[in-house]
Amino acid sequence: MRLEKILSKENLKLSSEIDKLRVPKHVAIIMDGNGRWATKKGLPRSFGHNKGVSVLKDIIKVAKNLGCKTLTVYAFSTENWTRPSKEVDFLINLFEKVINKEIEQIHKNSIKINFIGDLNPFPETLKLVIKNSEDLTKNNKDFILNICINYGGRQEIVRVAKKLAHKSFSGEIQPSEVNEELFESELLIRDSKDPELLIRTSGEKRISNFLLWQLAYSEIYITDVFWPDFNEIEFLKAIIDYQSRNRRFGGIESLSNDSFKDSYYS
Ligand code: IPE
Ligand code: IPE
Ligand code: MG
């Protein structure tokens, strides 16, 4: 079904403002505000996490229909282990439950799923579910969904530095060969270019250790809306705002999408 057919009036209006040729290919999202959303309603924080999952499902659909190719979402940071163990356990169980429930539909929609982060501390059952879901969807071509769990930008950079140090020590590479390209080849997100757009919900104006390398030149969109209240309309607003930006990359004139690709990524 064409996107326009399923949009409500407001969606339709917003959708008509979007230049379909300049939709960001890769959008990253810090899905924040689940706990506050629930607390404000007098509910346990877990309700916010549950609602957050259904919002993510909607946003995957919207992003894919709009022509985005990759969505990278922050679901659990390396710092989130400091939360009460009850909440951490709830989230770990939720990940496993949701993957089991949704993986068939994800596969049917030709979405490739990747889990980005250090998976070692997670229970074996979750690791197995993750491996199976990645194996099942690895050849899917229509859309990439990167879910960052136990992810930290600094930890990722240190991991790459360690890998290159080992390669240098073993003689596989020379220290003088280390450059941005080589560094990037060891990063955890392999299939996609850097996000053109980062969305953070719940009004916080920080990166919280997300994709420190990859966000170097991303446009940042912050909304006060809590993640459980985020929806198609809010996503379209973010895209419209992104399309109004003047992306100069240190230069003087804004680059069109095509020349941007040529000059920045080649
Ligand atoms: C984001 O919502 C989800 C995770 C970090 C797992 P929060 O749980 O951070 O919600 P707030 O920010 O406390 O409201
Ligand atoms: C960032 O949100 C991590 C995720 C959304 C998974 P946090 O709620 O953990 O970030 P801070 O603590 O507000 O910086
Ligand atoms: Mg938070």
Side-chain angles (χ1 to χ4, degrees), residues 136-184:
L136 176 70
T137 62
K138 67 172 185 257
N139 295 320
N140 291 346
K141 298 272 182 280
D142 287 1
F143 194 81
I144 295 169
L145 175 64
N146 294 317
I147 306 208
C148 299
I149 53 172
N150 192 26
Y151 175 85
R154 285 189 173 183
Q155 289 82 348
E156 180 177 30
I157 288 170
V158 168
R159 182 181 170 274
V160 173
K162 213 178 266 178
K163 280 207 157 183
L164 295 180
H166 277 297
K167 283 190 176 177
S168 172
F169 187 71
S170 70
E172 203 179 317
I173 58 165
Q174 293 297 313
S176 59
E177 285 175 66
V178 176
N179 57 19
E180 287 186 24
E181 209 182 345
L182 192 64
F183 200 93
E184 275 174 355

Side-chain angles (χ1 to χ4, degrees), residues 26-30 70-74 116 144-148 189 192 195 210-211:
H26 184 176
V27 178
I29 308 182
I30 301 176
T70 303
L71 196 62
T72 299
V73 297
Y74 208 5
I116 307 292
I144 295 169
L145 175 64
N146 294 317
I147 306 208
C148 299
I189 298 175
S192 315
F210 193 38
L211 304 177

Side-chain angles (χ1 to χ4, degrees), residues 5-50:
K5 280 196 180 159
I6 54 169
L7 294 177
S8 70
K9 254 190 175 172
E10 187 174 1
N11 293 12
L12 204 84
K13 186 182 156 288
L14 289 171
S15 172
S16 70
E17 289 176 36
I18 289 177
D19 177 351
K20 297 275 157 53
L21 298 174
R22 292 196 306 120
V23 168
K25 291 280 169 271
H26 184 176
V27 178
I29 308 182
I30 301 176
M31 308 181 291
D32 198 16
N34 291 354
R36 278 166 287 163
W37 177 87
T39 305
K40 238 179 109 181
K41 290 185 166 343
L43 299 166
R45 290 172 59 86
S46 56
F47 280 63
H49 297 314
N50 283 334

Side-chain angles (χ1 to χ4, degrees), residues 31-39 43-57 74-76 80 83-84 86-95 97-98 227-229:
M31 308 181 291
D32 198 16
N34 291 354
R36 278 166 287 163
W37 177 87
T39 305
L43 299 166
R45 290 172 59 86
S46 56
F47 280 63
H49 297 314
N50 283 334
K51 177 72 177 20
V53 172
S54 76
V55 171
L56 176 59
K57 277 169 60 181
Y74 208 5
F76 191 88
N80 288 147
R83 296 187 178 199
K86 219 176 118 203
E87 179 161 344
V88 170
D89 291 347
F90 177 86
L91 286 167
I92 291 173
N93 282 330
L94 183 66
F95 298 149
K97 210 171 78 186
V98 172
W227 178 249
D229 281 333

